[in-house]
Amino acid sequence: MSDTNSRLLKAHGSESVWRPQRFFAHKLQSVREFERLNDGGGLAVNFYPVSRVSPQVRVEGGQSRSMSLWLTQSDTGFLTVPTLEADLFTIRFVTNGQMIRRNWRGEQVVTQGYATFSALEDVRSGEASSGFSAISSTIARASLLASYHALERKLDRPLPVLEPLTSIDNLGMRALLLSLEQMQIRLRDVRTADDLFFPLLEEIVSYQLLSAWPRAPVAELPATGSLTAAHVRRAVDYIEAHLAMPFRLADVAAVAGVSVRMLQMSFKRELGMTPIEFIIERRLQHVHRDLCSETHRDTSIAELSRRWGFAHMSDFAQRYRRRFGCTPSETRRDMLR
């Protein structure tokens, strides 16, 4: 699953050393069986029946320290809620039925033929329909980042941002699904801890994931001279010159010679984002640049974030991770080692 064993143990109140379950299989047919599984711990989510009348859920899979993989099937539907505070990504291929996935942005209906990718910390719950089946996986962020660096040979790059929802109707995604299914079969048939091929299979799946999964477009901010609206060019120039200083949107609009409403509409048309989103993006880029710089090696992350206007570290850390796919401390460690 991941190296965050201590957090896993705290989540389930255990003092013993956590060890990955090379193989597990659970058939849940009563409320008591759901409770027993949740109390036993060891999984990234708790399972709950959506109906107290004859629930039917089967969960089968296995774990290593960097990856977990499991098959879920249900005749009656179920609800899952994450139980860990671990730095993991979750991947799910829905092969039958549908799931309502809820996160901090709202909810999304995922149907057969689609796959999802998200950070575990962003997931609030998932509600599966009757007749549901899916193959799912978690992978540690550090492991996926190492695979990205090995695959691309770009040690100075953060993880790319992957699309949260994608169709599996292309060769690369179907090959990734097939690999996960073959790994699931191997977990069932080869249950010994000394399966020497399994780490290689995990690595190959990571490379497939990074190669096949569509990447979210990162807004490339156009040069000032390429903007068609003169007042947006003036606004961008003002923002760039004052990024390290406090200012208001009214100040920017006044310099541009337009109303705040017109400024907002023009930014959406010219840049595809609001003025606030543009300001946050540029400040995040400046923090990222400074974290990668030898000049700022001895400057604390907190000081760099405050320098560029992020007063609340928790909010800054979440925004940074969503933008660059890693934590600020991981950027500093990876860029300067």
Side-chain angles (χ1 to χ4, degrees):
M1 194 171 281
S2 80
D3 291 325
T4 55
N5 302 351
S6 61
R7 279 180 279 186
L8 176 62
L9 296 176
K10 289 177 183 177
H12 298 288
S14 171
E15 296 299 329
S16 61
V17 176
W18 176 79
R19 291 182 177 84
Q21 303 176 70
R22 174 57 67 181
F23 180 80
F24 55 82
H26 305 285
K27 194 171 184 179
L28 310 176
Q29 297 179 297
S30 70
V31 173
R32 180 57 190 147
E33 288 175 343
F34 278 84
E35 293 172 346
R36 189 178 298 120
L37 173 62
N38 295 340
D39 291 343
L43 301 183
V45 298
N46 279 349
F47 283 82
Y48 300 95
V50 294
S51 171
R52 301 181 71 88
V53 179
S54 302
Q56 297 285 338
V57 177
R58 183 169 72 90
V59 186
E60 179 183 289
Q63 303 164 334
S64 72
R65 292 197 173 275
S66 60
M67 185 177 182
S68 64
L69 178 67
W70 67 96
L71 175 70
T72 314
Q73 296 176 321
S74 177
D75 295 333
T76 58
F78 60 88
L79 181 73
T80 60
V81 178
T83 61
L84 301 182
E85 295 180 1
D87 204 3
L88 305 174
F89 291 113
T90 65
I91 303 103
R92 176 173 291 111
F93 286 79
V94 177
T95 54
N96 200 58
Q98 70 175 36
M99 172 171 277
I100 301 174
R101 190 181 69 160
R102 300 182 179 93
N103 58 27
W104 61 275
R105 299 179 186 87
E107 65 179 38
Q108 183 178 56
V109 178
V110 186
T111 58
Q112 178 181 351
Y114 284 84
T116 63
F117 179 92
S118 61
L120 181 65
E121 65 182 6
D122 288 342
V123 179
R124 296 296 177 261
S125 67
E127 184 173 349
S129 68
S130 58
F132 177 81
S133 64
I135 188 163
S136 307
S137 176
T138 67
I139 184 168
R141 184 187 298 270
S143 177
L144 192 60
L145 180 63
S147 294
Y148 175 65
H149 287 166
L151 181 66
E152 302 284 353
R153 298 189 64 82
K154 296 177 180 178
L155 300 182
D156 61 337
R157 298 285 183 87
L159 270 172
V161 179
L162 303 185
E163 289 284 4
L165 178 69
T166 183
S167 169
I168 63 175
D169 190 24
N170 64 70
L171 186 61
M173 290 296 293
R174 290 199 298 271
L176 175 58
L177 173 58
L178 180 61
S179 294
L180 292 174
E181 291 173 339
Q182 292 301 310
M183 286 181 70
Q184 169 68 19
I185 294 172
R186 189 178 186 89
L187 284 171
R188 185 188 309 128
D189 296 341
V190 185
R191 303 185 188 182
T192 60
D194 56 352
D195 182 0
L196 299 182
F197 281 100
F198 207 79
L200 291 174
L201 295 175
E202 288 185 350
E203 183 181 19
I204 290 169
V205 164
S206 294
Y207 295 152
Q208 282 186 294
L209 170 66
L210 291 165
S211 300
W213 204 286
R215 299 183 182 183
V218 176
E220 292 294 335
L221 303 179
T224 305
S226 67
L227 297 173
T228 58
H231 61 275
V232 175
R233 291 200 299 272
R234 291 194 297 270
V236 168
D237 288 342
Y238 180 87
I239 291 170
E240 294 286 359
H242 295 80
L243 274 176
M245 295 176 254
F247 59 84
R248 303 174 306 153
L249 284 185
D251 300 327
V252 181
V255 169
V258 295
S259 67
V260 170
R261 183 182 296 275
M262 176 61 72
L263 185 75
Q264 292 171 327
M265 291 169 48
S266 297
F267 263 65
K268 287 292 288 185
R269 183 180 64 249
E270 294 282 329
L271 298 172
M273 62 181 74
T274 68
I276 292 295
E277 290 170 338
F278 176 84
I279 293 165
I280 292 172
E281 167 68 14
R282 293 298 294 133
R283 284 176 168 165
L284 283 172
Q285 288 182 5
H286 277 274
V287 177
H288 181 72
R289 179 203 64 190
D290 289 350
L291 287 172
C292 298
S293 171
E294 183 73 27
T295 304
H296 299 287
R297 174 190 287 269
D298 297 324
T299 307
S300 71
I301 293 174
E303 183 176 345
L304 288 178
S305 66
R306 287 194 299 268
R307 179 179 298 174
W308 295 108
F310 299 100
H312 301 286
M313 282 300 294
S314 61
D315 175 69
F316 161 69
Q318 291 177 4
R319 290 182 184 277
Y320 188 95
R321 178 178 289 176
R322 287 198 295 269
R323 173 59 178 86
F324 295 105
C326 59
T327 65
S329 57
E330 287 169 344
T331 294
R332 169 161 280 175
R333 181 194 66 206
D334 294 340
M335 302 300 186
L336 300 180
R337 65 184 175 185

